[in-house]
């Protein structure tokens, strides 16, 4: 009996050695030599609770980081020189007597993509992501989002689509901004049409639209958002729902397009995009 006691005492002295030695309990409970154990922070239960409480990535964050089924992208237009084209990782530029260029003016922080068409009818300034950044409802994706900080500067008295931003069916690059509301294209877009703001959706045969002129003003910054699901396209400004189109809902492989086309025959249309995010959830 005495021998068993001595053996257990020796094991306890090793386990709970003072001062602590390698592999003793005290040594395992502390990161330094202070040995100030606090069960509210240092116990296994406290550590497990802290890990469980760590924030997990949202579906949006996963998509924008290129994780999960459907990678998204975001652009703040701060990675090229003043006056340069936007990054070719995301964008293809079409300049038909118009201009598409990155600006770094302090009022546009952290950067801005500036579109300005030419002064003759049909002059364009367009950028799109066809073949570079494509989006579709697949593999459990229920919603495709586009959110951007934009400013539309348009002429009065126009007939036709002057400025637009949104999703287009991924079969061909836009020939003009008129394509971004075309019934034959499966689109979801926010535009300036006939000198008024509107939203459009098309299922490839028929287009529907709604008026946004109460929420989008000329030469005024606004945050817009487009959401596509299998049953509806919804449109937001300032994080507030403004319109729902659910009769002719697109179902396609989309790219993002933005730009302006001169339909007046003089003057200019201008589109500024301060930042853009496109993702899937």
């Amino acid at each position: 009996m005495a021998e068993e006691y001595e053996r257990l005492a020796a094991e306890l002295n090793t386990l709970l050695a003072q001062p602590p030695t390698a592999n003793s309990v005290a040594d395992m409970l502390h990161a330094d030599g202070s040995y100030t154990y606090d069960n509210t922070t240092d116990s296994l239960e406290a550590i497990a609770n802290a890990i469980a409480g760590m924030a997990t990535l949202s579906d949006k964050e996963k998509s924008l980081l290129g994780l999960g089924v459907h990678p998204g992208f975001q652009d703040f237009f701060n990675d090229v020189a003043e006056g340069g084209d936007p990054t070719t990782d995301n964008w293809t530029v079409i300049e038909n007597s118009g201009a598409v260029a990155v600006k770094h003016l302090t009022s546009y922080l952290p950067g801005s993509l500036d579109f300005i068409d030419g002064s003759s009818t049909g002059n364009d300034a367009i950028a799109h992501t066809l073949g570079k950044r494509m989006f579709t409802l697949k593999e459990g994706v229920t919603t495709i989002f586009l959110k951007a900080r934009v400013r539309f500067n348009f002429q009065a008295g126009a007939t036709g689509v002057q400025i637009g931003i949104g999703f287009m069916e991924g079969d061909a690059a836009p020939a003009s901004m008129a394509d971004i509301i075309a019934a034959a294209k499966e689109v979801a877009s926010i535009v300036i049409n006939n000198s008024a703001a509107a939203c459009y959706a098309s299922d490839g045969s028929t287009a529907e639209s709604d008026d946004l002129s109460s929420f989008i003003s000329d030469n005024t910054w606004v945050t817009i958002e487009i959401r596509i699901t299998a049953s509806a396209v919804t449109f937001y400004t300032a994080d507030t729902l403004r319109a729902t189109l659910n009769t002719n809902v697109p179902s396609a492989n989309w790219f993002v397009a933005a730009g302006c086309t001169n339909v007046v025959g003089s003057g200019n249309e201008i589109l500024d995009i301060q930042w853009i995010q496109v993702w899937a959830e």
Side-chain angles (χ1 to χ4, degrees):
M1 187 70 175
E3 290 178 356
E4 181 67 13
Y5 171 80
E6 290 174 358
R7 185 182 68 79
L8 291 174
E11 289 179 356
L12 287 171
N13 286 335
T14 299
L15 185 64
L16 303 174
Q18 291 295 332
T21 59
N23 299 320
S24 71
V25 170
D27 198 44
M28 288 186 289
L29 291 176
H30 302 281
D32 53 35
S34 63
Y35 303 106
T36 54
Y37 177 81
D38 183 344
N39 69 296
T40 63
T41 57
D42 303 334
S43 67
L44 292 177
E45 183 179 13
I47 294 170
N49 289 340
I51 293 173
M54 288 181 178
T56 57
L57 291 175
S58 66
D59 288 339
K60 175 181 178 179
E61 290 167 330
K62 290 177 183 177
S63 182
L64 292 177
L65 287 171
L67 305 174
V69 171
H70 207 320
F73 82 100
Q74 57 186 351
D75 206 332
F76 294 90
F77 307 109
N78 60 350
D79 54 359
V80 298
E82 168 76 20
D85 286 347
T87 174
T88 54
D89 290 342
N90 298 335
W91 304 99
T92 296
V93 169
I94 300 172
E95 296 175 316
N96 174 24
S97 297
V100 180
V102 171
K103 302 294 184 183
H104 293 302
L105 303 177
T106 56
S107 58
Y108 296 174
L109 289 176
S112 176
L113 186 60
D114 178 77
F115 302 76
I116 181 168
D117 58 28
S119 57
S120 298
T121 301
N123 289 167
D124 301 307
I126 298 171
H128 64 81
T129 70
L130 177 62
K132 297 181 177 183
R133 304 288 186 176
M134 307 295 290
F135 302 89
T136 190
L137 297 172
K138 66 175 185 179
E139 297 294 337
V141 172
T142 60
T143 310
I144 301 291
F145 299 79
L146 182 156
K147 191 170 187 177
R149 182 73 172 167
V150 301
R151 180 172 62 179
F152 302 117
N153 191 337
F154 53 92
Q155 301 182 77
T159 301
V161 182
Q162 299 159 273
I163 305 172
I165 181 171
F167 294 102
M168 294 183 60
E169 182 182 4
D171 58 354
S176 73
M177 278 295 96
D179 285 348
I180 209 165
I181 69 166
K185 307 271 187 185
E186 299 199 39
V187 304
S189 57
I190 292 176
V191 304
I192 304 300
N193 187 26
N194 301 329
S195 300
C199 57
Y200 280 79
S202 169
D203 58 9
S205 60
T206 306
E208 58 179 318
S209 64
D210 203 351
D211 178 52
L212 295 179
S213 59
S214 296
F215 315 112
I216 297 175
S217 301
D218 185 30
N219 201 29
T220 302
W221 286 103
V222 61
T223 300
I224 63 166
E225 185 174 348
I226 302 170
R227 301 180 184 180
I228 304 177
T229 70
S231 58
V233 184
T234 50
F235 301 87
Y236 297 73
T237 65
D239 294 319
T240 301
L241 178 63
R242 304 301 190 184
T244 298
L245 302 178
N246 53 22
T247 302
N248 304 106
V249 180
S251 176
N253 187 18
W254 300 283
F255 62 92
V256 175
C260 48
T261 297
N262 193 312
V263 296
V264 178
S266 61
N268 302 101
E269 267 64 48
I270 300 172
L271 168 64
D272 292 309
I273 304 177
Q274 189 176 106
W275 52 262
I276 184 170
Q277 297 176 316
V278 188
W279 73 96
E281 294 184 6

